[in-house]
Amino acid sequence: MSMIELDQVSFSYGGRQVVNQVTLVVPKGKHVGIVGESGCGKSTLLKLLSGLYVPTEGTIKVAGETESARISKAVSIVMQTPQLLPMTILENITLGREYSKEWIDHVVSLSCLDQWIASLEDGLDTYLGDRANELSGGQAQRIAIARAVCKNSEVILLDEPTSALDHETEKSVLEALRRAAEGKTVIHVTHQRSHLEAYDSVYQMREGKLYE
Ligand SMILES: Nc1ncnc2c1ncn2[C@@H]1O[C@H](COP(=O)(O)OP(=O)(O)OP(=O)(O)O)[C@@H](O)[C@H]1O
Ligand SMILES: [Mg+2]
């Protein structure tokens, strides 16, 4: 069974085509890496896969869904730039859904957020408000990872998820993501080929096209 099916998908910003007739099938449970030069269309492709953008041509099916709003519900994505909201840390992780305390604790420790959160007076209930952009890049990135892991979707999309982390934290988070992604379908965009060593396949993206 395939979890992701792209058939001749293209996408343009205005008149400029940046994803060019991409066809891709990813079976359930496979882990796929994508590498490629800056600007070749990797983030745009992930945004298409996450239902954030609708293809200008071609069709997309992710987790059995073809409609963008339903695709969004069915996937977890860590975007290249963390999108934090003026809410508490906890709300930024859960996006208002209910989860058990055990699950939240698990997600927080998996994302290497536990030490930092323990050092905050209000812990997980710390209100980020307009100060969300005062967080360090690594703190924001780990909240974004926690949000994606918390959602526990069948499909996980990762866009340079550890680029802002120091080497040690990056190692821990990648290992934790690997465990969290067991049995799930993963697409991981990175400039670090070494992060994709255990992956089932790695594609190279060039000028909007995917090459095996
Ligand atoms: N919102 C936008 N509006 C117009 N053009 C855009 C927009 N987002 C990206 N682009 C353009 O589309 C092309 C592909 O961008 P994209 O972000 O997908 O590249 P990328 O492969 O993820 O690059 P990087 O490795 O730097 O993250 C680039 O030329 C970029 O300038
Ligand atoms: Mg990108």
Side-chain angles (χ1 to χ4, degrees):
M1 179 192 156
S2 54
M3 211 49 165
I4 294 174
E5 289 174 38
L6 298 191
D7 188 26
Q8 300 276 317
V9 166
S10 299
F11 183 81
S12 307
Y13 291 107
R16 205 167 138 251
Q17 189 162 32
V18 297
V19 172
N20 191 353
Q21 303 220 315
V22 169
T23 295
L24 172 71
V25 176
V26 182
K28 183 174 156 71
K30 293 291 180 196
H31 292 187
V32 169
I34 297 179
V35 297
E37 271 178 25
S38 181
C40 70
K42 305 179 298 297
S43 295
T44 306
L45 184 66
L46 281 199
K47 286 174 182 170
L48 286 161
L49 283 168
S50 71
L52 198 67
Y53 294 163
V54 177
T56 26
E57 276 175 62
T59 56
I60 290 194
K61 192 169 181 185
V62 179
E65 305 290 353
T66 53
E67 195 209 315
S68 57
R70 296 178 68 97
I71 293 175
S72 295
K73 284 209 176 108
V75 309
S76 295
I77 181 165
V78 180
M79 305 239 256
Q80 192 167 13
T81 315
Q83 311 284 313
L84 297 183
L85 302 158
M87 311 188 288
T88 66
I89 296 176
L90 180 65
E91 288 163 341
N92 264 284
I93 294 173
T94 63
L95 295 179
R97 292 185 207 90
E98 291 290 325
Y99 298 95
S100 71
K101 186 179 177 315
E102 289 70 27
W103 180 247
I104 299 293
D105 287 347
H106 167 72
V107 164
V108 163
S109 105
L110 198 146
S111 314
C112 295
L113 281 167
D114 32 7
Q115 272 186 19
W116 171 57
I117 287 174
S119 77
L120 300 170
E121 197 176 339
D122 292 326
L124 273 171
D125 295 323
T126 303
Y127 183 68
L128 294 182
D130 299 330
R131 294 173 310 145
N133 51 13
E134 285 173 26
L135 297 180
S136 77
Q139 286 158 350
Q141 195 160 48
R142 280 174 288 154
I143 293 175
I145 288 169
R147 180 190 293 167
V149 172
C150 189
K151 195 171 172 189
N152 203 20
S153 314
E154 280 294 312
V155 176
I156 302 178
L157 307 172
L158 305 169
D159 197 354
E160 309 259 10
T162 58
S163 56
L165 304 183
D166 64 80
H167 188 64
E168 279 307 301
T169 313
E170 175 171 65
K171 256 172 65 182
S172 310
V173 169
L174 283 173
E175 173 56 22
L177 275 175
R178 197 187 58 72
R179 273 183 278 121
E182 256 167 51
K184 298 182 187 291
T185 309
V186 177
I187 301 214
H188 185 163
V189 167
T190 178
H191 286 291
Q192 303 288 320
R193 257 188 190 265
S194 62
H195 295 171
L196 305 174
E197 266 159 18
Y199 275 55
D200 297 299
S201 42
V202 177
Y203 291 87
Q204 170 101 37
M205 194 159 188
R206 221 176 302 132
E207 296 179 354
K209 283 190 172 292
L210 274 189
Y211 300 89
E212 207 151 353

